[in-house]
C-alpha cells in the first residue's frame, strides 16, 4: 500500500488500546444521529474537532474517506427508468461503436481509433443520455472524453442523426460526410460543440464555461426568456483518470470551488489505466483525486462499487472489505479486472478468512459479475442525481470502471487495451454474447451496424427519453442574432485624425476600448480579460469604469477606495481579472468567444496579455479556440522582441506572429500605427459580430510612443489586406556619385519597426542619395494567405492566354510591389521567418530582417542594433541589396560591428 494513502479514521484494524471505550463513543454518536439527525452530528463533530485543535491534539488526515461509495444505500433515489430496455440500448451503442472502429481498421490499418475507453465509459454516458443531459437550445453543455467519440457517434446513429454511410466513414473525412476522430467543431460544426482531443483542455474549458455562464447570468445577459432554465443548466465534463495528470486538468479546481460552481459536474472515469499502463500502479488514483478535489473545496462523490456489492457490504459488519480495498493498489485492481472470478476469489477474497467466508456462497461466475460502480446504471443514476442537486460546490464523480469492459480476453484490463482496434471472430462472438446482442454469427463477423426499427421498444424508449430531456445532443447551434457594429470614427476619431500626436498603439487601444465599452450596441457584449497586467497596459481605469467580475461582489473596502479609479469588484462587473493565470484567461476567452453558439448570445472577448505568454504559453488552447470557431480579439501587448525593451529573454516575443500565421482562421495583425489599429478593430467587429464569420483576431500592441499620422486617404484596403504605402521615395533625387541613374529601394516595416524603416529611408536619401519608399506591413500572414490562394488558382486553373483575367489572378503584394528591379528590404520585430512568409511573391531581390535569437534586456535602440533591425542596419541592407559598394562605408559610418557573431548565435 502506498504510505501516502492515509489510513481511515476509526479503521477497525488500527490497534485499539481500549475497544470498550471506543465502542461507547461510537454508540453515543449512533444514538445522537438516531435521535437528532445527521446535521446535529456534524455540528458536534465540528465542535469537537475545533476543541481538539485548540488542545493541540494531532488530527487525522480527513481528506480521504474509505474506499467505498460516498452515497449510501439509504440516500439512493429509486431508479427512474427501465433498466432492461436501457441495457439493450446500451448494448447496441457499444456494439456499433466497436463495429465502427473495427470496420475502419479492416479497411485501412492506418486509421486507428479506440474501443476500450468507450467500453469503460459507456454506462456513464448512457445514464446521462437517458436521464440527465438536457438538450435543446439552452440545454446542458457536455464535454465528452475525446477518444470515446465512437460511442457518441454510435448513439447518434441509433437516434437517426447519423447515417450508416457516415459511420462507415469514421476517421475518413477528406471526401466529405466523414466523422472526425475526436470532437472537433471545426470539422463537424453542427454536431460537436467542444474540442477535447488534447488532454487537459476539456476540463479546463468546462470549468471556465460554467463560470462564464454565471458571468452572463449576473450581468443580465442570459437569455431572459429562458431564465429559469438557464440557472439550472449544467456543464458536464467527462475525463479520464490519466488525463487528470495534465496540469490543465487541475488548473481550474480552485476557481470552480471559490466561485461555487454548482452548475458543474466533472465525471472522472477511473478505469485505473491510461495508454501505456496503470495511472497509479503503486497507489490509488481515486484516493489521490479525492484528496485533491476535497482539498480544493469540491463535493466529491466516489462511485466505486455496483449494487451487486451491497449485500456483501451489509454483511461485512467489521468492514473487512474496506480494509482489503484500501490495501489494494491500482496495479492489483487492474490485474483483477483482467482476470476471472476464480482468480479474484483466490487473490482478493481469500487473503482473509473473513472475506473468504463473506463470498463463500458465491460461485466464481457470481464473483466475476461483481461490477464496479461505473458500470451500474443504478449507482450512476444515484451519483448524478445527487450531483445535480448539490448546492454551493462543484461536484466531481470518481467513477471506478474497467478499461475495455466487456472486451473479455481481447482487452478488459489488459495493459495493451488502449490501442486495441482489431478483434477476431471469436472475440466478436464473445462480445456479442456478453451483451446479449441480437445478431447472427455472420452479422457479427461482418461487424454489421445494428439499428432496430423506429417502432421497436428500444428506439421508442430512446426517442421518448431524449424528447423528455429537450432534444438530442451533442448538437452545435450557430444561431445568434448579428450585432450592429460601430464605425471607427465613433470610437477612434482621435486615431483616424491623429495629425502627428504622439502615442503608443497600446495607449490608443485603451482609449478605443474605453469608447467601445460605452457603445450602445457592442459595449455590453465586450468581455475585457486581463491576467494581472491591467496596470502594465495602462488599463487600471477600467477597474472602476466597468468593475471587476466577482460573484460575491466586494466584501471589503479596497485600500484605494478614496481614489477616483479604485479597485472595484462587483457581481455584475464586466472585466474578468484572472490573476496570474494565462491558461484560465484563455479558457475564459474561449467561453466568451463561443457564446454565440453555446448560449445564443454573441459576446466580444478582448484578452490583452504579454504577447509571449500567448501562442508560446497557451498555444494549444488557442488551437482549440480556433477549432471551436471562436470569435474575438486577442491582443498581444508590449509585443515584439525589441519594443518591450527591458524585460529580457523570457518576456520578449519574437515568434507569436509566426505561430499565428499557422492558424487558418486567425487574422493576425501587427499594426504600427494607431489609425491602422482603428481600421482593424472596426473591420474585425464587423466580420465577427455583423457578418458572423468564424474568425478571430490576433493584434499586437506596442508601448513605444511616437508621432501618429492621420489615416492616409485610401489606406483602408491595404491596411486590411496586409500592406499599404506610407512614404513615397524622395522626389528630388539625383543619381548618387558614380551611378549612372537614380537608385531606389522599397522598405517594408512592420509594427514598431515601421519607425525604423521610415528613419532608414531618411538615411538612405540624405546620406547616400538613394530613394526609398516605405510600406507599412500590417500583416505578413494576410499577404501570404491571399498570395497562396492566387498561386493555387494559377496552378490548378491558370489564367487565359489573352491575359484578360490577369488582374483577378494577381496578388495584392504583386500590385503593391510590382517588378521594377528595385530591391525590397523588410524588417519586423519578429524572427525573420515572419517577413520571409511573402518571399515567393516578390519578383525583385528581397531581404528579410528580423529578431532571430534569444531576447535580452537593454534599451530599444541597443536591442535593435543588436538584432540588426535598427535604421542603420536596414540602410546597410538596402545598399547591399542594390549592389552599392558604399555599403562598406555605411557599415563604418554607422559603427556596425561587422565581426560580431550573429544575434542568434549569442
Ligand atoms: C495533450 C495530449 N497528450 C497525449 C494524448 C494522447 N492520448 C490520448 S488518450 C491517452 C490516454 C488517456 O488515458 P485516460 O485519460 O486514463 O483515459 P482512458 O482512455 O483510460 O479512459 C493519451 C495519452 C492526447 N490526446 N493529448
Amino acid at each position: 500500500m502506498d504510505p501516502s494513502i492515509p489510513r481511515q479514521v476509526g479503521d477497525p484494524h488500527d490497534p485499539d488500546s481500549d475497544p470498550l471505550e471506543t465502542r461507547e463513543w461510537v454508540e453515543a454518536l449512533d444514538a445522537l444521529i438516531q435521535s437528532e439527525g445527521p446535521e446535529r452530528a456534524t455540528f458536534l463533530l465540528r465542535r469537537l474537532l475545533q476543541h481538539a485543535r485548540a488542545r493541540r491534539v494531532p488530527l487525522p488526515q480527513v481528506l480521504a474517506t474509505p474506499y467505498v461509495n460516498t452515497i449510501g444505500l439509504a440516500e439512493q433515489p429509486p431508479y427512474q427508468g427501465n433498466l432492461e430496455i436501457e441495457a439493450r440500448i446500451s448494448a447496441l451503442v457499444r456494439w456499433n461503436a466497436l463495429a465502427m472502429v473495427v470496420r475502419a481498421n479492416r479497411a485501412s490499418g492506418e486509421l486507428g481509433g479506440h474501443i476500450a475507453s468507450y467500453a469503460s465509459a459507456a454506462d456513464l454516458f448512457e445514464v446521462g443520455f437517458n436521464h440527465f443531459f438536457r438538450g435543446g437550445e439552452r440545454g446542458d453543455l457536455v464535454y465528452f472524453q475525446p477518444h470515446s467519440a465512437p460511442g457518441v457517434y454510435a448513439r447518434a446513429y441509433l437516434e437517426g442523426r447519423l447515417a450508416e454511410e457516415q459511420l462507415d466513414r469514421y476517421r475518413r473525412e477528406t471526401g466529405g460526410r466523414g466523422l472526425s476522430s475526436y470532437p472537433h467543431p471545426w470539422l463537424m460544426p453542427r454536431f460537436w460543440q467542444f474540442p477535447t482531443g488534447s488532454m487537459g483542455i476539456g476540463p479546463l474549458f468546462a470549468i471556465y464555461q460554467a463560470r462564464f455562464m454565471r458571468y452572463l447570468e449576473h450581468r443580465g445577459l442570459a437569455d431572459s426568456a429562458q431564465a429559469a432554465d438557464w440557472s439550472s443548466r449544467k456543464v458536464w465534463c467527462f475525463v479520464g483518470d490519466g488525463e487528470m495528470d495534465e496540469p490543465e486538468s487541475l488548473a481550474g479546481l480552485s476557481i470552480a470551488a471559490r466561485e461555487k460552481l454548482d452548475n458543474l459536474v466533472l465525471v472522472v472515469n477511473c478505469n485505473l489505466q491510461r495508454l501505456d499502463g496503470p495511472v497509479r500502479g503503486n497507489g490509488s488514483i481515486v484516493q489521490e483525486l479525492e484528496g485533491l478535489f476535497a482539498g480544493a473545496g469540491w463535493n466529491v462523490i466516489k462511485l466505486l462499487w455496483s449494487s451487486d456489492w451491497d449485500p456483501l457490504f451489509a454483511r461485512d459488519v467489521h468492514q473487512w472489505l474496506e480494509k482489503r480495498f484500501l490495501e489494494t493498489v491500482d496495479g492489483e485492481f487492474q490485474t483483477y479486472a483482467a482476470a476471472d472470478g476464480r482468480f479474484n476469489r483466490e487473490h482478493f477474497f481469500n487473503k482473509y478468512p473473513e472475506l473468504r467466508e463473506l463470498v463463500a456462497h458465491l460461485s466464481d461466475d457470481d464473483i466475476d459479475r461483481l461490477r464496479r460502480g461505473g458500470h451500474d446504471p443504478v449507482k450512476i443514476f444515484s451519483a448524478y442525481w445527487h450531483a445535480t442537486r448539490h448546492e454551493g460546490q462543484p461536484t466531481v464523480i470518481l467513477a471506478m470502471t474497467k478499461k475495455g469492459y466487456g472486451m473479455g480476453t481481447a482487452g478488459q484490463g489488459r495493459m495493451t487495451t488502449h490501442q486495441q482496434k482489431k478483434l477476431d471472430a471469436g472475440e466478436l462472438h464473445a462480445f456479442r454474447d456478453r451483451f446479449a446482442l441480437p445478431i447472427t454469427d455472420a452479422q457479427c463477423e461482418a461487424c454489421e451496424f445494428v439499428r432496430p426499427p423506429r417502432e421497436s421498444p428500444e428506439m421508442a424508449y430512446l426517442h421518448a427519453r431524449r424528447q423528455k430531456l429537450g432534444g438530442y445532443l451533442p448538437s452545435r447551434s450557430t444561431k445568434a442574432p448579428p450585432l450592429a457594429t460601430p464605425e471607427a470614427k465613433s470610437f477612434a476619431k482621435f486615431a483616424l485624425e491623429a495629425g502627428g500626436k504622439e502615442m503608443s498603439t497600446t495607449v490608443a487601444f485603451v482609449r478605443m476600448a474605453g469608447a467601445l465599452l460605452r457603445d450602445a450596441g457592442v459595449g455590453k457584449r465586450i468581455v475585457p480579460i486581463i491576467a494581472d497586467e491591467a496596470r502594465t497596459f495602462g488599463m487600471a481605469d477600467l477597474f472602476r469604469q466597468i468593475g471587476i467580475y466577482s460573484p460575491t461582489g466586494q466584501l471589503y473596502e479596497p485600500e484605494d477606495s478614496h481614489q477616483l479609479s479604485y479597485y472595484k469588484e462587483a457581481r455584475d462587473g464586466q472585466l474578468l481579472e484572472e490573476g496570474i493565470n494565462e491558461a484560465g484567461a484563455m479558457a475564459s476567452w474561449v467561453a466568451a468567444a463561443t457564446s454565440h453558439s453555446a448560449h445564443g448570445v454573441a459576446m466580444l472577448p478582448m484578452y490583452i496579455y504579454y504577447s509571449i505568454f500567448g501562442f508560446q504559453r497557451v498555444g494549444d488552447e488557442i488551437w482549440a479556440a480556433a477549432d471551436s470557431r471562436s470569435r474575438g480579439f486577442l491582443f498581444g501587448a508590449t509585443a515584439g522582441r525589441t519594443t518591450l525593451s527591458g524585460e529580457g529573454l523570457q518576456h520578449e516575443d519574437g515568434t507569436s506572429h509566426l505561430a499565428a500565421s499557422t492558424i487558418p482562421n486567425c487574422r493576425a495583425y501587427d499594426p504600427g500605427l494607431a489609425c491602422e489599429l482603428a481600421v482593424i478593430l472596426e473591420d474585425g467587429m464587423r466580420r465577427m459580430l455583423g457578418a458572423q464569420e468564424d474568425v478571430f483576431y490576433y493584434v499586437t500592441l506596442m508601448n513605444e510612443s511616437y508621432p501618429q499620422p492621420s489615416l492616409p486617404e485610401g489606406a483602408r484596403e491595404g491596411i486590411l489586406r496586409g500592406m499599404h504605402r506610407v512614404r513615397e521615395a524622395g522626389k528630388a533625387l539625383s543619381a548618387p556619385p558614380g551611378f549612372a541613374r537614380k537608385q531606389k529601394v522599397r522598405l517594408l516595416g512592420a509594427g514598431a519597426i515601421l519607425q525604423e524603416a521610415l528613419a532608414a529611408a531618411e538615411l538612405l536619401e540624405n546620406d547616400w542619395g538613394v530613394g526609398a519608399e516605405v510600406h507599412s506591413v500590417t500583416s505578413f500572414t494576410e499577404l501570404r494567405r491571399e498570395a497562396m490562394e492566387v498561386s493555387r488558382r494559377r496552378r490548378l486553373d491558370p489564367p487565359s492566354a489573352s491575359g484578360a483575367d490577369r488582374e483577378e489572378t494577381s496578388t495584392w503584394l504583386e500590385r503593391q510591389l510590382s517588378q521594377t528591379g528595385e530591391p525590397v528590404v523588410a524588417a519586423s520585430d519578429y524572427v525573420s521567418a515572419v517577413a520571409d512568409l511573402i518571399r515567393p511573391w516578390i519578383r525583385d531581390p528581397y531581404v528579410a530582417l528580423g529578431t532571430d535569437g534569444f531576447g535580452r534586456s537593454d534599451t530599444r535602440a541597443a536591442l535593435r542594433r543588436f538584432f540588426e533591425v535598427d535604421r542603420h542596419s536596414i540602410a546597410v541592407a538596402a545598399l547591399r541589396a542594390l549592389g552599392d559598394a558604399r555599403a562598406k562605408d555605411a557599415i563604418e559610418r554607422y559603427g556596425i560591428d561587422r565581426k560580431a557573431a550573429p544575434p542568434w548565435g549569442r
Side-chain angles (χ1 to χ4, degrees), residues 117 145 147 197 199 240-243 246 271 273-274 403 418:
S117 300
Q145 194 189 20
H147 43 292
M199 311 263 96
D241 47 0
E243 185 172 357
E246 290 285 2
N271 58 28
Q273 287 180 247
R274 45 181 166 73
K403 192 149 177 170
H418 190 88

Side-chain angles (χ1 to χ4, degrees), residues 114 116-118 120-121 145-148 182 196-201 239-246 248 268-279 401 403-404 417-419 620:
H114 305 88
S117 300
Y118 177 67
S120 72
Q145 194 189 20
H147 43 292
S148 290
Y182 304 116
T196 51
S198 175
M199 311 263 96
I201 301 260
V239 54
D241 47 0
E243 185 172 357
M244 290 309 298
D245 278 343
E246 290 285 2
E248 289 86 351
V268 186
N269 176 9
C270 296
N271 58 28
L272 315 183
Q273 287 180 247
R274 45 181 166 73
L275 195 153
D276 282 343
V279 180
T401 61
K403 192 149 177 170
T417 191
H418 190 88
Q419 310 283 53
D620 200 28

Side-chain angles (χ1 to χ4, degrees), residues 657-707:
H657 274 288
L658 198 56
S661 76
T662 63
I663 302 183
N665 51 344
C666 173
R667 307 269 85 92
Y669 286 96
D670 183 24
L673 304 176
C675 60
E676 295 173 341
L677 176 65
V679 171
I680 293 162
L681 287 189
E682 177 197 69
D683 196 58
M685 285 188 286
R686 182 192 60 76
R687 288 179 66 176
M688 295 187 290
L689 297 178
Q692 301 196 310
E693 287 181 47
D694 286 332
V695 292
F696 69 98
Y697 280 68
Y698 175 57
V699 184
T700 37
L701 304 171
M702 271 71 65
N703 64 350
E704 184 176 359
S705 269
Y706 40 78

Side-chain angles (χ1 to χ4, degrees), residues 456-468:
S456 66
E458 291 85 359
M459 293 302 96
Y461 184 88
L462 172 139
H463 288 292
R465 293 309 311 164
R466 286 316 313 161
Q467 265 141 34
K468 178 125 201 290

